[in-house]
Amino acid sequence: MTQAASHASARSAVDGRPLTAGVAMLATAVAVNSLLVGGLLAAVSLTGHVFGAWPSPESLNPGLIGAAMLGTAPGLFAVGRARHWEEVRTLLHPLAVVLVGLFTVTLLNADALYIAEGGPVLSVLFSLGWIFVLGLFCVWAVIAPALQHRVPAQQRGTAAAPLPAWSKPPLAVLGSAWLGIGTGLLVRPGFWADFVPWDTNRLDAQALGVWALALGVGVLGALAEDDLTRTRPALLALPGTAATMTVVLAARAAHVDWTSGPALSLVCMVAGLLSAGASGHFLLKRSAALRD
């Protein structure tokens, strides 16, 4: 195959709805916020202190939320370089889950926030900013994709880089695990919080559940796409999230019950995210080399 033909094949694989400015701007705005807020939450957690929008019994909880925000930022910045919605929806759908889910959980537990309970001035101000910014992003995350789907779709070709058959069962297990744990923490936090191998409260459990649910949606979404060329931003977010979570967990390792089954499951699930992202990058590069 000639180089021109290979590029044409790659373009046909991702043809679809042209990406709107609203979606690209949403991803960039959330990425910047994630770097600032996520970096702050993770950094404070590394020192062993608790800082967030609500009181928490363990610094791991806001630290892991910050780590997830920080880890997805590179993938969100990559959205702006995409041309079609199909190239980014495996990351934008989980992003919508996170924004809508966190805002809903925050409102349902508003009486547990610092702004309601009182506390240090910085925490109260952060709590107020958390509600305002998250609410703004939540509305944006609903409107922007809705307008995106009103854009006429162009013709789409066959997959340029389909997933190898051997990768599909592990991805299905990994995505289902994150989806199941996230759903449990979100729907029944009182029960499932006992399976978290460190101290949590109801709001911590539900917030972590939202992130776990989004990770499951992202992994299963990539499996449904069955084309690595349509998952480039997600392939940046998966290993980034795994790496930042690992740093926070390692720094607070003494506060985790590593002898428990849930801790072993968490290690396997985080390692799965890292492996999925790394292998996806390798397979995508190999596919591009073969087409050239």
Side-chain angles (χ1 to χ4, degrees):
M1 181 183 292
T2 65
Q3 186 173 2
S6 68
H7 288 326
S9 175
R11 284 196 302 271
S12 66
V14 296
D15 278 350
R17 303 178 190 275
L19 191 67
T20 63
V23 170
M25 291 172 61
L26 169 65
T28 302
V30 175
V32 172
N33 181 76
S34 295
L35 283 179
L36 298 175
V37 177
L40 175 63
L41 293 177
V44 173
S45 174
L46 295 179
T47 68
H49 295 86
V50 176
F51 181 75
W54 57 85
S56 178
E58 170 56 54
S59 63
L60 257 175
N61 297 303
L64 286 176
I65 293 173
M69 295 171 68
L70 198 59
T72 56
L76 292 172
F77 279 121
V79 169
R81 298 194 295 270
R83 297 180 57 193
H84 295 91
W85 165 249
E86 284 71 15
E87 297 175 71
V88 302
R89 62 186 176 186
T90 51
L91 182 58
L92 267 296
H93 285 151
L95 176 64
V97 170
V98 168
L99 295 176
V100 175
L102 280 181
F103 186 61
T104 302
V105 165
T106 300
L107 290 184
L108 290 177
N109 297 276
D111 57 337
L113 300 178
Y114 277 115
I115 193 174
E117 286 194 349
V121 175
L122 287 179
S123 296
V124 172
L125 292 177
F126 182 85
S127 179
L128 180 61
W130 175 273
I131 295 177
F132 176 77
V133 175
L134 196 55
L136 176 63
F137 283 153
C138 178
V139 174
W140 198 349
V142 172
I143 295 176
L147 295 178
Q148 173 69 68
H149 283 89
R150 294 176 61 87
V151 176
Q154 301 173 357
Q155 184 177 2
R156 293 176 57 190
T158 57
L163 297 173
W166 60 263
S167 69
K168 295 180 180 180
L171 282 177
V173 172
L174 179 64
S176 299
W178 281 107
L179 190 71
I181 293 297
T183 302
L185 288 171
L186 190 59
V187 176
R188 294 194 62 190
F191 175 79
W192 284 94
D194 291 337
F195 291 92
V196 178
W198 59 81
D199 293 334
T200 61
N201 57 29
R202 178 183 178 84
L203 191 43
D204 288 329
Q206 288 191 312
L208 291 173
V210 168
W211 272 105
L213 183 66
L215 288 170
V217 169
V219 173
L220 294 178
L223 184 62
E225 287 288 353
D226 196 17
D227 188 351
L228 290 169
T229 60
R230 297 175 188 155
T231 61
R232 285 189 178 93
L235 288 177
L236 289 173
L238 285 182
T241 301
T244 51
M245 289 176 65
T246 299
V247 170
V248 172
L249 286 169
R252 306 297 298 163
H255 296 258
V256 180
D257 182 10
W258 295 109
T259 61
S260 64
L264 178 60
S265 299
L266 177 63
V267 170
C268 294
M269 291 163 65
V270 173
L273 294 179
L274 185 61
S275 299
S279 60
H281 277 292
F282 172 77
L283 292 171
L284 186 57
K285 288 183 179 179
R286 189 179 70 172
S287 177
L290 291 175
R291 288 198 304 268
D292 292 339

